[in-house]
Amino acid sequence: MKHFSIVLITYIIFILLFTIFSFTFFNTDIVNFPFLQFSVFSNRLLVGGTYTLFILLFIGYFVYFLNFFSVKKNSRRVPFIKVVAISSLLVFSFPGMLSYDIFNYIASAKVTFFYKENPYVIMPIAFSGEPLLTFMHAANKTALYGPSWILLTYIPHALGLGYFFLTLYMFKLYVFVFYLLTVLLLYRMTKDIFRVGLFALCPLVLIETFVSGHNDIVMMFFAVMSFFMLEKKQIAPAILFLTISILIKFATMFLLPVFLLVVFKIITGKMISWKKMYLYSMTSMLCIFLLSSFREEIYPWYAIWFLVFLPLVEISKRIKVIVFIFTFSLLFRYVPYIVTLNHFGLTPYLKMIVTFIPVLIVISYYYSKRLWQKVF
Amino acid sequence: MKRKLLIALIIFGILYILPLKALAQSTYVLPYPSVMPGNKFYLLERVAEEILQYWYFGDFAKFTYHLSYADKYLVESKILFEYGQYALAVKSLERSNMYFIRLESDLDEAATHGKDISEKSIQLTSAKDKHKEILEEIVSEVPVEVLWTEENKPQQLLKLHHLLDKSIMLRV
């Protein structure tokens, strides 16, 4: 435990440094702060290298914490809460570090609740002089999310009281609350800190939720909640929660076959193997995750869709390692853009290499090891 | 030589004095014609039109809705005039007018709510120019009035130029 306390102290420093580092991605063309002279826009290689180092350290901490929580004799609940609490400091990081989606959320909410216009008809760009337009990368698009999300964003919009920076951090806190609810729900369903930690402490989940403030955790909270309701044999609330989830981002439509299968089994009184159902759910969300590359590209935060089921399934350690190697490589997917500041040219190819080569290496290693054991 | 110069001057003078009308080509783009009256889906479109007015909430959304239907019915009336379906054309034009007159008030409301209407005002001006262009084309192609006869219905006198002139005035 003493060892753990020392690591926690270093973890606090690491998280604070990462939070400060996130501000090097702030576009100094918009606002010029003196310390932001060291920014990604003027020192791409250095910032790219520093980002890589931070991710490697993040992975190191993740492996350490998982190892700690895997030892059953260790008192786990309080240390887990401490790790989550420290990680939550990332909420204060610059949300535009890796993605500008949070500004789209704020803009859609403002179009709906401040300007009182239909966000599916009127684009934010229609409001010339709107300060949010400076930060948006999709000002010329109507709302990209479902009506559930638009309605849910009323709360952080209202709490922001019309002030931009307050609204920005209200949105981040709002997503953080859904992260906490998801973690609590997963703990309620598994009663196992280690299993919950597989998801809750995953660097990809922490970065994409606390730093970028993506709404995928909100969507998946409602999806998992719907299955939790089915476990309690409460079909109507389950349908409601799944509907809310689908109407956030539509991806959880891919859970419908599993959901309907479970409902059928409940109605007909058949035995349900929940581990199997969650495995089917995880596989469904993995499929839609991979298919998303045909629509635009694979976005790292989409991995939350299948990762949330990881605590609920029984899979071999090898598969878990492959899944985590994949999520780590998704975080490195940002590096080519950070270094080139260009989405075209070599960048898409570098992204593909960074995303899939590590996974292929690990799969090849396991396969060749198995082959070796069989032959010799 | 002097004679040729004199002829050139006279021609130039005539061209300069005579008010030759050059139709300005507006860059505003009207929609393609959609389902026309008589089609089995026309009623469905009209039902959708009624429902959609609730979807288009908000000042700018209402403006978009009213403008899109003003355009749609103008195109519809133009096609119907070309096909000599004057009674239906008159109805479509009246619908277009009904939507068009709401546009100014939509923008006025948006302005009272503190929204910047400059871009929408430019869009409205372009729409007015385009509508006038189309209506003036129609005026030159249709009779002044028509005694319209339909089966099992009383005859009606359709004062086409009167309606078209009124429609043009709405768009000034």
Side-chain angles (χ1 to χ4, degrees):
Chain A
M1 278 303 283
K2 194 178 176 184
H3 193 255
F4 183 78
S5 303
I6 295 166
V7 170
L8 267 191
I9 291 167
T10 64
Y11 188 56
I12 295 171
I13 298 166
F14 165 75
I15 291 291
L16 288 173
L17 285 173
F18 192 87
T19 304
I20 294 166
F21 172 69
S22 70
F23 284 90
T24 59
F25 289 76
F26 196 95
N27 191 341
T28 49
D29 288 340
I30 302 165
V31 179
N32 203 357
F33 290 125
F35 77 89
L36 289 174
Q37 297 312 311
F38 170 75
S39 83
V40 70
F41 300 98
S42 48
N43 297 283
R44 291 170 301 162
L45 277 173
L46 187 56
V47 172
T50 311
Y51 172 81
T52 306
L53 184 63
F54 268 116
I55 297 304
L56 287 168
L57 284 170
F58 232 132
I59 293 166
Y61 278 111
F62 177 58
V63 170
Y64 173 82
F65 290 135
L66 275 187
N67 200 45
F68 178 85
F69 293 123
S70 69
V71 178
K72 285 190 167 44
K73 68 177 176 133
N74 287 339
S75 152
R76 302 188 294 175
R77 199 183 286 186
V78 172
F80 181 80
I81 292 169
K82 283 180 181 174
V83 174
V84 169
I86 295 166
S87 305
S88 67
L89 291 172
L90 286 171
V91 164
F92 297 103
S93 57
F94 174 55
M97 179 182 176
L98 302 168
S99 164
Y100 276 60
D101 279 5
I102 196 169
F103 299 107
N104 296 337
Y105 305 158
I106 296 170
S108 297
K110 195 164 184 183
V111 167
T112 314
F113 302 114
F114 178 76
Y115 291 113
K116 295 184 173 47
E117 296 280 355
N118 186 333
Y120 298 107
V121 172
I122 301 299
M123 302 168 191
I125 208 168
F127 306 99
S128 49
E130 169 56 55
L132 267 173
L133 293 178
T134 326
F135 297 96
M136 289 181 69
H137 286 187
N140 58 345
K141 290 183 184 170
T142 51
L144 300 167
Y145 308 98
S148 295
W149 178 244
I150 301 293
L151 290 170
L152 284 167
T153 55
Y154 175 72
I155 296 170
H157 167 80
L159 290 174
L161 303 171
Y163 297 106
F164 173 61
F165 282 105
L166 183 59
T167 304
L168 184 62
Y169 283 94
M170 282 299 128
F171 268 81
K172 289 192 84 179
L173 268 173
Y174 192 60
V175 169
F176 169 65
V177 164
F178 276 97
Y179 164 88
L180 284 179
L181 289 172
T182 308
V183 169
L184 282 167
L185 181 59
L186 288 171
Y187 182 70
R188 177 80 173 75
M189 292 167 85
T190 60
K191 297 275 193 280
D192 188 331
I193 292 277
F194 172 76
R195 281 176 173 271
V196 175
L198 289 172
F199 172 76
L201 303 179
C202 176
L204 183 140
V205 174
L206 293 176
I207 289 171
E208 300 298 356
T209 305
F210 292 171
V211 177
S212 303
H214 286 293
N215 62 0
D216 302 74
I217 190 73
V218 181
M219 178 178 75
M220 295 320 296
F221 164 73
F222 285 108
V224 176
M225 192 62 168
S226 75
F227 280 93
F228 178 67
M229 287 289 126
L230 285 180
E231 279 191 30
K232 304 283 169 210
K233 296 191 173 31
Q234 292 180 32
I235 297 175
I239 292 171
L240 175 66
F241 282 118
L242 188 64
T243 307
I244 293 171
S245 175
I246 290 171
L247 292 178
I248 288 175
K249 221 170 190 177
F250 313 113
T252 40
M253 265 197 311
F254 267 60
L255 290 174
L256 274 171
V258 185
F259 185 86
L260 291 170
L261 175 63
V262 173
V263 168
F264 173 76
K265 284 185 180 241
I266 290 171
I267 290 170
T268 55
K270 291 201 167 119
M271 273 280 288
I272 300 170
S273 165
W274 286 105
K275 294 264 185 285
K276 235 188 214 175
M277 295 301 125
Y278 291 130
L279 185 62
Y280 294 157
S281 301
M282 186 172 168
T283 312
S284 300
M285 295 315 291
L286 178 62
C287 287
I288 179 68
F289 166 82
L290 294 169
L291 284 171
S292 66
S293 57
F294 291 102
R295 188 182 67 96
E296 268 188 69
E297 65 168 279
I298 289 179
Y299 292 120
W301 55 91
Y302 289 178
I304 291 173
W305 300 350
F306 61 85
L307 280 175
V308 77
F309 291 104
L310 200 57
L312 303 168
V313 300
E314 292 289 353
I315 50 176
S316 66
K317 192 179 175 183
R318 269 185 199 184
I319 302 288
K320 277 183 193 154
V321 169
I322 292 170
V323 167
F324 282 121
I325 295 293
F326 186 50
T327 60
F328 301 153
S329 58
L330 285 172
L331 284 173
F332 288 118
R333 206 178 149 81
Y334 291 112
V335 177
Y337 176 74
I338 291 171
V339 169
T340 62
L341 281 181
N342 186 356
H343 286 295
F344 307 105
L346 272 178
T347 305
Y349 302 104
L350 291 171
K351 277 181 171 179
M352 282 265 279
I353 291 167
V354 154
T355 307
F356 294 107
I357 297 295
V359 180
L360 289 172
I361 291 171
V362 171
I363 292 172
S364 308
Y365 166 74
Y366 279 133
Y367 181 72
S368 57
K369 194 177 170 187
R370 209 168 164 182
L371 197 65
W372 183 267
Q373 282 167 351
K374 264 191 185 166
V375 169
F376 299 103
Chain B
M1 181 64 189
K2 273 187 186 174
R3 204 174 163 189
K4 278 182 186 171
L5 197 61
L6 186 63
I7 293 167
L9 274 170
I10 291 166
I11 293 168
F12 177 77
I14 291 167
L15 287 172
Y16 187 76
I17 291 162
L18 277 176
L20 283 172
K21 218 179 211 177
L23 286 168
Q25 287 293 307
S26 167
T27 55
Y28 184 84
V29 178
L30 287 169
Y32 278 126
S34 78
V35 172
M36 298 296 281
N39 188 300
K40 53 174 101 58
F41 294 110
Y42 190 74
L43 184 61
L44 275 173
E45 274 228 348
R46 296 277 291 128
V47 170
E49 182 184 327
E50 290 302 312
I51 296 168
L52 279 174
Q53 64 179 311
Y54 300 104
W55 174 249
Y56 284 80
F57 62 86
D59 306 316
F60 283 170
K62 275 194 201 134
F63 175 84
T64 304
Y65 173 80
H66 291 145
L67 184 58
S68 70
Y69 278 102
D71 289 346
K72 175 195 140 79
Y73 282 116
L74 179 72
V75 169
E76 190 176 292
S77 74
K78 178 177 185 284
I79 305 286
L80 290 165
F81 274 121
E82 282 171 12
Y83 278 79
Q85 292 294 326
Y86 298 124
L88 290 171
V90 161
K91 250 191 206 161
S92 297
L93 185 56
E94 280 169 350
R95 283 199 189 114
S96 177
N97 291 345
M98 177 190 79
Y99 282 114
F100 205 92
I101 57 175
R102 293 182 196 181
L103 293 172
E104 296 270 10
S105 58
D106 289 337
L107 288 188
D108 288 340
E109 254 203 60
T112 56
H113 293 144
K115 293 174 190 171
D116 182 1
I117 63 166
S118 50
E119 276 182 36
K120 296 285 181 217
S121 299
I122 293 169
Q123 192 184 6
L124 179 58
T125 306
S126 300
K128 279 179 179 175
D129 290 341
K130 189 65 180 182
H131 280 227
K132 274 195 314 224
E133 193 184 302
I134 299 295
L135 289 166
E136 281 161 4
E137 244 178 67
I138 298 171
V139 165
S140 64
E141 289 165 0
V142 301
V144 175
E145 51 186 46
V146 152
L147 195 60
W148 187 258
T149 314
E150 260 181 90
E151 212 176 305
N152 299 325
K153 281 185 182 170
Q155 270 186 341
Q156 47 176 325
L157 181 66
L158 300 173
K159 294 180 180 176
L160 300 178
H161 277 218
H162 174 74
L163 173 63
L164 287 162
D165 290 339
K166 195 177 102 178
S167 304
I168 291 169
M169 287 312 293
L170 280 174
R171 286 151 172 89
V172 160

